[in-house]
């Protein structure tokens, strides 16, 4: 693959910088800000992109980090030994305070679906902000009604009543409350390794100790995770599903409020549920009088490529769907969608959300749906995602460090292990590869309980050339280890 590299010395001679060493490096950065010295005389080139951000004149990374440490919560962590100061973004690329371009393969944690600062989304938000930023849903405004109608038209069956929230946690909290109110039961079944939020009920549904505080969390039972890679039954979804029946029989009154799951666990490490699992579980839950909740916060909005919603890949129709992240391309927006009959339970008392469904966010959300359709981003997620997964799988066959490649569309995971048979999590190696890929200009996320899974969830405008650059950067890094 040597044609992907050009000598550093040649680029240096072309800049003709007759400056001290430090300034020469700065000049080189300005001429080839999308390239990086690999310290061995080679530079990897990023796909060309016709955009340069305006010069950054704000505070330095050190100044920001100092303020962050003094004034923000100590619970806030950051990636990399030397954290990035990201100041600009355009489509699938991010730019730091030095003007250097990075390929964003994390998408703000599966949030940026249309692309950073997509002009259509920005225009919709700005135009609405200029006219009316906020009033209240106690008055009429077309923005919330138009977006609710558009969302309902993307969902199957009688899923047509929308409640807007500000985040995925809020959406899942509301969905769990609705299920409990509708059924008159308190017990909810979630999956081990799940993540559904960090508030009272959703922390109970979350099943990873590193995301759970020692506070009261009642009424949630965690079933075996149908994990094809690490699970006890491999890819046999129906065997895992029997555990849900056991939980109902031996852990509840025999009736439950509901079942909540993602189609692909995001925070849990991009784990796609074993085939046959969801249909079997949905049937069991229905017999126990419960509702089925599909958490589409990360897998929704065309990310899986083959379908618009993750649950559609399993051939099921939930009673309640929750969504956030990709719904707004980065603005604080979430939603719960259910049937008219189920929605009626919230009329028993007053339910209200001050900012949920505000004109600015819903205008932006509607613009997101239009962009996904106009630019065929679902099709692109399928085509590019399939190609990227094939290239990553080829890399798995080359390096023992890669234990598994999984996911759908542009929601992919690469799990690193130090022992293929024992599947020992390669925690330190994951951090190293991630850091070196950043130096090469590629940003990926990481997740999974052990922190050894690369989460690849880029904007859906990602190209095959971007996919090649990402895999080549991973290949080059692993080859040097």
């Amino acid at each position: 693959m040597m044609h992907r590299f050009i000598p550093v010395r040649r680029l240096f001679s072309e800049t003709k910088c007759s400056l001290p060493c430090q300034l020469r490096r700065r000049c080189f950065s300005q001429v080839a800000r999308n390239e990086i010295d690999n310290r061995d005389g080679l530079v990897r080139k990023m796909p060309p992109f016709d955009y340069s951000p305006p010069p950054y004149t704000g505070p330095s990374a050190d100044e920001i980090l100092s303020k962050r440490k003094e004034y923000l919560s100590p619970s806030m962590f950051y990636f990399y030994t030397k954290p990035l100061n990201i100041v600009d973004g355009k489509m699938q690329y991010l730019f730091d305070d030095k003007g250097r371009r990075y390929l964003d393969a994390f998408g703000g944690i599966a949030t940026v679906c249309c692309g950073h600062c997509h002009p259509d989304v920005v225009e919709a938000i700005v135009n609405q902000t200029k006219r009316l930023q906020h009033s209240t849903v106690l008055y009429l405004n077309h923005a919330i009604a138009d977006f609710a109608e558009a969302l309902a038209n993307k969902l199957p069956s009688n899923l047509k009543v929308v409640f807007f929230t500000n985040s995925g946690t809020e959406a899942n909290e509301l969905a769990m409350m609705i299920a409990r109110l509708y059924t008159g039961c308190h017990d909810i079944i979630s999956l081990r390794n799940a993540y559904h939020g960090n508030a009272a009920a959703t922390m109970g549904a979350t099943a990873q100790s590193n995301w759970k505080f020692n506070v009261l969390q009642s009424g949630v039972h965690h079933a075996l995770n149908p994990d094809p890679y690490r699970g006890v039954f491999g890819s046999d979804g129906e065997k895992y599903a029997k555990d849900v029946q056991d939980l109902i029989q031996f852990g509840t009154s025999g009736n439950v409020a509901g079942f909540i799951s993602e189609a692909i666990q995001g925070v849990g490490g991009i784990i796609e549920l074993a085939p046959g699992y969801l249909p079997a579980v949905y049937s069991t839950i229905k017999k126990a009088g419960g509702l089925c909740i599909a958490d589409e916060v990360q897998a929704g909005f065309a990310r899986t490529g083959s379908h618009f919603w993750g649950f559609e890949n399993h051939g099921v129709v939930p009673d309640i769907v929750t969504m956030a992240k990709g719904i707004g391309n980065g603005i604080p927006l979430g939603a719960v969608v259910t049937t008219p009959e189920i929605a009626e339970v919230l009329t028993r008392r007053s339910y209200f959300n001050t900012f949920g469904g505000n004109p600015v966010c819903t205008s932006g959300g509607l613009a997101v749906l239009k962009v996904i359709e106009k630019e065929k981003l679902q099709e692109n997620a399928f085509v590019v995602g399939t190609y990227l997964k094939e290239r990553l799988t080829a890399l798995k066959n080359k390096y023992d460090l890669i234990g598994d490649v999984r996911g759908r569309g542009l929601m992919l995971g690469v799990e690193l292990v130090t022992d293929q048979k024992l599947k020992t999590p390669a925690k330190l190696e994951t951090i190293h590869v991630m850091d070196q890929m950043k130096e090469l200009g590629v940003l990926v996320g990481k997740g999974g309980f052990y922190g050894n899974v690369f989460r690849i969830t880029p904007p859906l405008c990602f190209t095959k050339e971007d996919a090649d650059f990402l895999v080549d950067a991973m290949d080059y890094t692993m080859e040097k280890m």
Side-chain angles (χ1 to χ4, degrees):
M1 302 294 289
M2 293 299 290
H3 64 280
R4 296 185 181 279
F5 301 89
I6 55 176
V8 170
R9 291 182 294 276
R10 195 179 105 197
L11 269 176
F12 261 56
S13 65
E14 289 174 357
T15 64
K16 299 182 180 179
C17 295
S18 56
L19 298 171
C21 181
Q22 287 184 334
L23 291 181
R24 283 206 303 272
R25 285 197 290 269
R26 182 176 179 85
C27 181
F28 168 67
S29 176
Q30 292 169 346
V31 172
R33 60 174 52 131
N34 60 336
E35 299 161 349
I36 182 69
D37 184 353
N38 290 329
R39 297 193 182 99
D40 61 356
L42 298 175
V43 173
R44 184 181 295 275
K45 294 199 72 176
M46 189 179 291
F49 188 64
D50 188 22
Y51 174 78
S52 293
Y56 175 69
T57 57
S60 68
D62 288 340
E63 291 174 301
I64 295 170
L65 189 58
S66 177
K67 287 183 179 180
R68 180 164 161 156
K69 288 179 178 179
E70 185 172 359
Y71 299 113
L72 294 176
S73 169
S75 67
M76 292 176 61
F77 56 89
Y78 50 80
F79 282 160
Y80 310 116
T81 305
K82 186 177 180 182
L84 283 172
N85 182 18
I86 297 297
V87 301
D88 209 304
K90 184 66 69 173
M91 302 310 287
Q92 66 269 45
Y93 298 105
L94 291 170
F95 299 82
D96 67 13
D97 51 357
K98 303 295 191 300
R100 185 178 172 207
R101 179 162 60 106
Y102 296 86
L103 177 62
D104 180 14
F106 197 25
I109 316 180
T111 298
V112 179
C113 63
C114 299
H116 292 283
C117 300
H118 191 288
D120 291 7
V121 179
V122 170
E123 182 181 23
I125 292 170
V126 170
N127 287 345
Q128 181 59 54
T129 303
K130 286 180 177 178
R131 182 151 191 168
L132 179 66
Q133 182 177 350
H134 179 75
S135 57
T136 170
V137 292
L138 299 175
Y139 307 137
L140 298 183
N141 186 277
H142 73 90
I144 185 173
D146 291 345
F147 186 38
E149 179 185 29
L151 266 185
N153 287 334
K154 298 297 294 184
L155 285 152
S157 189
N158 204 28
L159 293 164
K160 58 188 294 185
V161 179
V162 184
F163 299 90
F164 286 111
T165 66
N166 304 288
S167 69
T169 291
E170 277 191 9
N172 284 331
E173 284 278 325
L174 178 57
M176 291 173 70
M177 184 177 74
I178 289 173
R180 284 169 166 159
L181 289 172
Y182 182 79
T183 62
C185 295
H186 187 64
D187 291 300
I188 285 179
I189 296 176
S190 176
L191 294 176
R192 296 178 189 178
N193 196 56
Y195 180 88
H196 295 291
N198 54 15
T202 48
M203 190 177 292
T206 293
Q208 292 188 47
S209 59
N210 47 4
W211 294 104
K212 292 168 76 74
F213 287 98
N214 188 23
V215 296
L216 182 64
Q217 299 165 39
S218 68
V220 180
H221 308 265
H222 300 104
L224 285 174
N225 192 34
D227 179 352
Y229 181 63
R230 290 184 175 272
V232 292
F233 299 125
S235 295
D236 193 334
E238 292 188 3
K239 284 186 177 179
Y240 291 105
K242 291 178 181 178
D243 185 54
V244 173
Q245 181 64 54
D246 288 344
L247 282 175
I248 294 172
Q249 288 179 334
F250 301 105
T252 75
S253 66
N255 294 98
V256 297
F259 169 82
I260 183 170
S261 76
E262 302 170 89
I264 301 178
Q265 293 177 336
V267 174
I270 315 296
I271 295 174
E272 189 171 9
L273 307 188
Y277 179 77
L278 279 185
V281 169
Y282 272 35
S283 176
T284 297
I285 294 297
K286 292 291 186 183
K287 291 175 183 176
L291 300 181
C292 297
I293 304 169
D295 180 341
E296 292 287 326
V297 170
Q298 294 196 35
F301 290 88
R303 181 157 293 281
T304 63
S306 56
H307 296 84
F308 198 84
W309 306 106
F311 65 80
E312 292 177 305
N313 293 300
H314 294 265
V316 296
V317 177
D319 300 294
I320 305 174
V321 182
T322 63
M323 56 197 75
K325 291 188 180 290
I327 191 176
N329 203 51
I331 55 177
L333 179 61
V336 176
V337 186
T338 189
T339 67
E341 180 187 357
I342 295 171
E344 194 69 24
V345 298
L346 289 187
T347 64
R348 297 175 187 174
R349 296 289 188 277
S350 296
Y351 174 78
F352 188 77
N353 189 314
T354 299
F355 300 109
N358 71 80
V360 173
C361 288
T362 49
S363 294
L366 182 58
V368 167
L369 282 183
K370 290 178 178 178
V371 169
I372 291 174
E373 294 293 331
K374 181 177 74 172
E375 300 184 3
K376 295 180 170 58
L377 294 184
Q378 182 178 330
E379 179 182 340
N380 188 70
F382 177 77
V383 173
V384 176
T386 300
Y387 176 75
L388 175 55
K389 189 176 182 181
E390 288 173 352
R391 286 222 55 198
L392 290 169
T393 300
L395 213 58
K396 173 183 178 295
N397 297 331
K398 182 177 180 181
Y399 298 107
D400 289 339
L401 182 61
I402 300 178
D404 194 29
V405 173
R406 54 184 180 252
R408 284 175 180 255
L410 288 174
M411 189 172 183
L412 301 175
V414 179
E415 180 159 355
L416 303 191
V417 296
T418 57
D419 187 296
Q420 288 273 353
K421 186 176 181 180
L422 298 176
K423 300 177 182 177
T424 309
K427 302 176 187 178
L428 295 178
E429 291 82 355
T430 301
I431 294 172
H432 172 78
V433 174
M434 187 174 172
D435 197 72
Q436 291 304 304
M437 288 181 68
K438 183 260 289 183
E439 293 301 314
L440 292 168
V442 179
L443 308 180
V444 295
K446 70 181 180 73
F449 180 75
Y450 304 103
N452 67 316
V453 181
F454 290 128
R455 296 167 65 187
I456 300 173
T457 55
L460 305 188
C461 54
F462 215 66
T463 67
K464 285 187 176 180
E465 290 74 23
D466 296 322
D468 283 332
F469 182 64
L470 183 156
V471 178
D472 290 347
M474 188 178 292
D475 186 8
Y476 182 83
T477 300
M478 290 184 176
E479 192 174 47
K480 294 294 180 182
M481 291 176 69

